[in-house]
Amino acid sequence: MKIKWVSYPYLVWMMIFVVVPLLLVIYFSLTITDGGVTKFSLANYEKFFEPIYIKVLLRSIYLALISTVFCLALGYPLAMILASKEMSRKNFLILLFVLPMWMNFLLRTYAWMTLLERKGLINTFLSYINLPPLEILYTNEAVVLGMIYNFLPFMVLPIYSVLRKIDPYVIEAAEDLGANSLTVFLKVIFPLSLPGVVSGITMVFMPAVSTFVISRLLGGGQFTLIGNLIEQQFLTVGDWNFGSALSIVMMILILFSMAAMARYEKDYEGGGLW
Amino acid sequence: MVKNFLKKFYIFLVFLFLYAPIIVLIIFSFNNSKSRGHWDGLTLKWYIQLFQDPQILKTIYYTLAVAVLSSLVATIFGTAAALGIDSMTRFRKTVVMNITYLPVLNPDIVTGVSLMLLFVFVNIKLGFISLLLAHITFNIPYVILSVLPKLKQLNKHLYEAALDLGATPFYAFKKVILPEIIPGVITGALLAFTLSVDDFVISFFTTGSGVSNLSIYIYSMARRGINPEINALSTLMFVSVLLLLIVVDRRMSRDKMKGENRA
């Protein structure tokens, strides 16, 4: 088939709605408007290197990393159990596992607000059994909890699908050759599951580092991640130039970590650029 | 034995973690009292309030209108684009696929902000039209990514054979290519529809006053604090998702059985 032309409307569309907007962001990030005069300047990026903003970036990365580690620690055993051959009704369990993901993610985050509230269900329960109340709503802990809750399936599913594909004879061979179960795990199962682990880490870290909703709802108003900072610059402060610079920083952060991760993924199917 | 029990217990704990918040929401949507601490008898008043709220009905209308229109347009553009991309030379394909992956990989907030800048720059009023354009834009790549694998599986000579037998290109497309790739097209369309219904971040930046979808509405309600009406809404959405999945699952297992019978 030589019908290249049918994709031209799409290419035009993507030029207008993907490439041009990104160029606009770059343009805004590189200019400042002073008294009606727009000129090129690196002031927006300089502003980003002020300690308060660097701190915001570091906090975003830090919280996203913690959530990723927790997701991996919780998700890997789960994926292993689900993939193990003794587990019956696998498909049903997987369906049950992804079902909450189909609910609007704002509602899932909101659900934690109601649970963690000072007079919420968890605290009512704790006071019932005479334990001190848990006051973590509007703190770092609540934000990390929200991230783990929302992104755990993104860690489990890729690991599960890789583990399912491991040839059971490879494991049996290792056992026949005298490896105990720890050695089998460390030398056979884990190395073979690495592609799944890598894509799980990518799929949890990316949305976690760029979120502004979870931090806004569970972290309260005073709490700021880089996503919140971008949102504020555009919607409340109105400093589009600084907001654009922040967006570029976030984009570079995401695309670079993705490129770094993609090196470890064997069956990565994408363009060659990222 | 013990090991098996521990495994099941672990699964149970994770499922408890995943479902407890949702179940609590559902139970408390029937609670008469507005406070969450105590139970004050069954009621349906939050559901009634929800449906008497003109704001929310408008929101549902906008959500569905944008989802249907954007997935429809994205499916047409995306399928055509996939056909074109499939017949491109290697180098061009790489370039085009990189542009296609851009909105998929870029953080939503950057996509949202960049589109907002575009709309403001070219003077499109932020509202229904800008929302629709934004949704089409982030939906097309997902349609392409669902159709392309089907095109790869396709036997290239079928189309040529149809042309040799006297079919016009359009007729050959309709009768030969389309039936082969239709599962991918449908998957893409459904994916686009769900993504559109579920989207918050991009919509948040590209819509204007008066036009909001469900996600934006929930966000603005949740920001003001706990509200039992949201519980009622969550329950309804959870139940509809559950029903949808059951139907899809049934259909899939029936198709599978049919396939096995045929074979």
Side-chain angles (χ1 to χ4, degrees), chain A:
Chain A
M1 279 182 294
K2 287 277 163 261
I3 43 167
K4 264 181 266 171
W5 60 268
V6 289
S7 66
Y8 292 162
Y10 163 71
L11 293 179
V12 172
W13 184 285
M14 292 307 260
M15 277 297 149
I16 298 172
F17 290 103
V18 174
V19 178
V20 171
L22 282 178
L23 293 177
L24 275 175
V25 175
I26 294 172
Y27 169 77
F28 269 93
S29 79
L30 288 172
T31 53
I32 48 168
T33 304
D34 199 13
V37 188
T38 305
K39 58 173 190 267
F40 278 94
S41 147
L42 285 173
N44 301 307
Y45 290 98
E46 274 167 32
K47 191 172 169 188
F48 170 72
F49 283 101
E50 284 171 21
I52 47 166
Y53 299 120
I54 286 290
K55 237 167 139 177
V56 169
L57 177 73
L58 291 180
R59 175 159 57 203
S60 310
I61 295 176
Y62 173 68
L63 291 184
L65 277 178
I66 292 187
S67 318
T68 312
V69 169
F70 268 103
C71 281
L72 185 60
L74 286 173
Y76 199 98
L78 183 73
M80 265 186 88
I81 295 172
L82 286 175
S84 67
K85 55 177 181 290
E86 305 99 70
M87 215 57 216
S88 53
R89 291 189 299 166
K90 275 196 182 75
N91 291 336
F92 175 71
L93 283 175
I94 289 292
L95 191 70
L96 212 58
F97 184 69
V98 295
L99 184 61
M101 252 169 72
W102 284 79
M103 216 170 89
N104 192 299
F105 112 99
L106 286 146
L107 289 177
R108 278 180 281 148
T109 311
Y110 165 80
W112 279 101
M113 278 174 80
T114 73
L115 277 177
L116 296 174
E117 224 191 344
R118 195 179 307 144
K119 285 183 180 156
L121 209 67
I122 290 181
N123 280 337
T124 312
F125 177 71
L126 286 177
S127 71
Y128 195 70
I129 54 172
N130 285 321
L131 282 174
L134 193 67
E135 295 202 356
I136 65 164
L137 188 58
Y138 308 133
T139 63
N140 279 355
E141 285 80 8
V143 175
V144 170
L145 185 71
M147 288 176 179
I148 298 171
Y149 185 71
N150 274 306
F151 306 134
L152 183 64
F154 296 152
M155 182 64 84
V156 174
L157 293 179
I159 298 178
Y160 169 79
S161 65
V162 172
L163 287 176
R164 280 292 305 269
K165 275 188 228 147
I166 293 180
D167 186 346
Y169 292 127
V170 176
I171 295 167
E172 275 175 33
E175 282 164 353
D176 287 348
L177 291 167
N180 60 20
S181 47
L182 183 69
T183 317
V184 170
F185 176 75
L186 288 178
K187 295 277 178 186
V188 179
I189 299 178
F190 188 71
L192 283 175
S193 70
L194 267 181
V197 173
V198 168
S199 60
I201 290 175
T202 320
M203 285 171 76
V204 173
F205 182 77
M206 305 294 149
V209 82
S210 63
T211 185
F212 72 94
V213 178
I214 297 174
S215 45
R216 180 65 218 255
L217 292 182
L218 296 176
Q222 82 291 0
F223 198 88
T224 313
L225 297 185
I226 185 157
N228 300 83
L229 202 56
I230 295 177
E231 186 230 330
Q232 279 167 19
Q233 296 306 316
F234 277 95
L235 297 182
T236 46
V237 180
D239 188 349
W240 290 7
N241 304 93
F242 184 46
S244 298
L246 290 170
S247 307
I248 295 290
V249 170
M250 183 192 272
M251 208 173 116
I252 290 172
L253 176 72
I254 296 276
L255 294 182
F256 268 79
S257 37
M258 206 169 295
M261 287 310 219
R263 283 170 182 274
Y264 296 96
E265 253 174 301
K266 271 184 204 144
D267 46 12
Y268 177 73
E269 269 192 64
L273 216 83
W274 309 120

Side-chain angles (χ1 to χ4, degrees), chain B residues 29-54:
Chain B
S29 72
F30 298 105
N31 185 7
N32 205 3
S33 153
K34 194 167 179 154
S35 104
R36 201 150 312 275
H38 63 117
W39 180 258
D40 197 28
L42 276 173
T43 179
L44 284 176
K45 71 176 173 195
W46 306 120
Y47 291 87
I48 295 165
Q49 271 186 27
L50 191 68
F51 280 104
Q52 281 171 347
D53 190 347

Side-chain angles (χ1 to χ4, degrees), chain A residues 10 74 96 149 251 269, chain B residues 7 10 18-19 100-101 106:
Chain A
Y10 163 71
L74 286 173
L96 212 58
Y149 185 71
M251 208 173 116
E269 269 192 64
Chain B
K7 280 183 178 177
Y10 187 72
L18 287 175
Y19 278 91
T100 305
Y101 270 109
N106 230 348

Side-chain angles (χ1 to χ4, degrees), chain B residues 106-158:
Chain B
N106 230 348
D108 279 355
I109 189 170
V110 176
T111 309
V113 158
S114 66
L115 281 167
M116 180 185 127
L117 284 180
L118 175 80
F119 293 138
V120 173
F121 205 72
V122 297
N123 249 327
I124 294 179
K125 200 172 147 277
L126 291 178
F128 186 77
I129 297 294
S130 61
L131 189 64
L132 184 62
L133 290 173
H135 277 232
I136 295 171
T137 305
F138 75 73
N139 273 338
I140 299 179
Y142 290 96
V143 176
I144 295 181
L145 294 176
S146 338
V147 176
L148 268 185
K150 290 282 160 204
L151 282 170
K152 258 187 207 156
Q153 290 167 11
L154 192 75
N155 183 346
K156 303 270 176 241
H157 303 301
L158 280 178

